[in-house]
Amino acid sequence: MKIIHLNQIDSTNAYLIRENTEYDDMTFVETDYQTNGKGRENRAWLAQRGENSMFSILIKDKQLVEDYAALSILAALLVRNYLSSYVMDKVTIKWPNDVYVGDKKICGILLQGKIPSYLVIGIGINVNQNEFVGEYRTTPTSLYLETNQIFDLAKFNKGLFIYIDEHLDLFKNGLYNPINEIRKFNYLKGKKTQYGVVVDINDDYSLKVETDSGEIVNIQSGEIKM
Ligand code: BTN
């Protein structure tokens, strides 16, 4: 694992995509501020300078890159597990890759890259931000808003990077099977979506949904609306 700290950058995802040939597998790039932070579906990801955790991980291991459906939900699970040691409330994962506290979003994840050569997992976690102005599709929250405590971001990130690095390694070597945890913390379970009611998450990490007519369909990826 290698960690690079940048004071400011357009986007840690964009940076690692541009520089992917320069860095090895499991390079973490963190930043204090993004001038052009990206969310899914081409939305902006906004965060005040120095207040939140924003980083990207470069994955080059062939097996992991090809297992991107698993990686997306696994990244969310690992963030969930790490956050659950700080937040007393229920922390869950919203398939395919958000982390929620109650009904509020605390973390978003954006996977980009070029399969099979590399993948960039971009993670944004609201840590110390106490105010969210503007329009959000889902009400945001932060660790500060949930706990009334200010966190040391450098320490928070370092602990998280070590946790992610260790668990991706175990996963890669077949020593960690996250499917039961993923099912257990499935925020969408029983909820009505644009496809129907969510039943579960399948072994291949797709979402199992029951439509209005009672048919079972498996959703491979995409935005889930409620
Ligand atoms: C989403 O919920 O839409 C995904 C948000 C992903 C944000 C992170 S912050 C670090 C990395 N760099 C980016 O530009 N985006 C991701």
Side-chain angles (χ1 to χ4, degrees):
M1 165 171 82
K2 178 178 181 167
I3 301 174
I4 292 166
H5 180 93
L6 304 172
N7 293 334
Q8 177 173 319
I9 191 74
D10 52 347
S11 144
T12 54
N13 267 35
Y15 176 80
L16 272 178
I17 291 170
R18 284 196 300 272
E19 306 288 330
N20 78 82
T21 55
E22 304 299 315
Y23 293 114
D24 294 330
D25 183 39
M26 297 311 288
T27 298
F28 288 67
V29 174
E30 59 176 8
T31 192
D32 298 332
Y33 187 66
Q34 295 187 133
T35 55
N36 194 18
K38 294 277 182 223
R40 280 197 307 276
E41 305 210 320
N42 225 8
R43 287 191 288 263
W45 183 262
L46 305 169
Q48 282 159 27
R49 187 182 297 271
E51 297 204 334
N52 291 341
S53 172
M54 289 173 281
F55 61 95
S56 300
I57 313 162
L58 180 65
I59 308 285
K60 285 190 165 175
D61 177 86
K62 221 174 156 355
Q63 189 193 327
L64 278 188
V65 171
E66 285 180 355
D67 212 0
Y68 59 91
L71 260 198
S72 145
I73 190 90
L74 176 56
L77 175 72
L78 296 178
V79 172
R80 189 226 82 91
N81 287 351
Y82 188 72
L83 289 180
S84 72
S85 59
Y86 293 92
V87 185
M88 305 308 282
D89 281 318
K90 216 173 146 206
V91 194
T92 56
I93 47 183
K94 183 181 171 230
W95 187 94
N97 47 18
D98 286 335
V99 182
Y100 274 43
V101 179
D103 289 322
K104 296 177 181 164
K105 176 165 163 172
I106 196 163
C107 163
I109 300 177
L110 174 67
L111 252 77
Q112 293 181 289
K114 213 169 142 200
I115 295 155
S117 58
Y118 73 93
L119 209 66
V120 172
I121 310 175
I123 303 183
I125 308 168
N126 302 326
V127 179
N128 291 323
Q129 192 160 327
N130 64 358
E131 215 184 14
F132 294 88
V133 263
E135 284 210 357
Y136 288 87
R137 285 185 70 250
T138 313
T139 311
T141 189
S142 67
L143 270 188
Y144 172 76
L145 291 175
E146 296 298 327
T147 64
N148 238 349
Q149 284 175 57
I150 294 284
F151 294 85
D152 178 334
L153 255 190
K155 246 166 88 183
F156 175 90
N157 274 0
K158 187 76 194 288
L160 177 58
F161 296 174
I162 292 169
Y163 182 74
I164 292 177
D165 184 63
E166 278 173 4
H167 284 80
L168 288 186
D169 208 52
L170 291 172
F171 179 72
K172 199 161 64 189
N173 292 309
L175 300 170
Y176 175 51
N177 183 352
I179 190 70
N180 290 333
E181 275 176 275
I182 287 170
R183 289 194 173 121
K184 181 168 169 197
F185 299 115
N186 178 8
Y187 172 80
L188 288 171
K189 191 167 182 170
K191 293 207 164 69
K192 176 113 175 92
T193 68
Q194 76 266 40
Y195 303 107
V197 176
V198 173
V199 181
D200 211 340
I201 292 170
N202 294 306
D203 286 344
D204 67 354
Y205 308 99
S206 60
L207 193 68
K208 186 172 175 180
V209 176
E210 186 176 349
T211 66
D212 288 344
S213 58
E215 193 193 343
I216 297 290
V217 291
N218 301 316
I219 313 295
Q220 302 299 329
S221 69
E223 197 87 357
I224 298 298
K225 301 185 177 79
M226 284 176 292

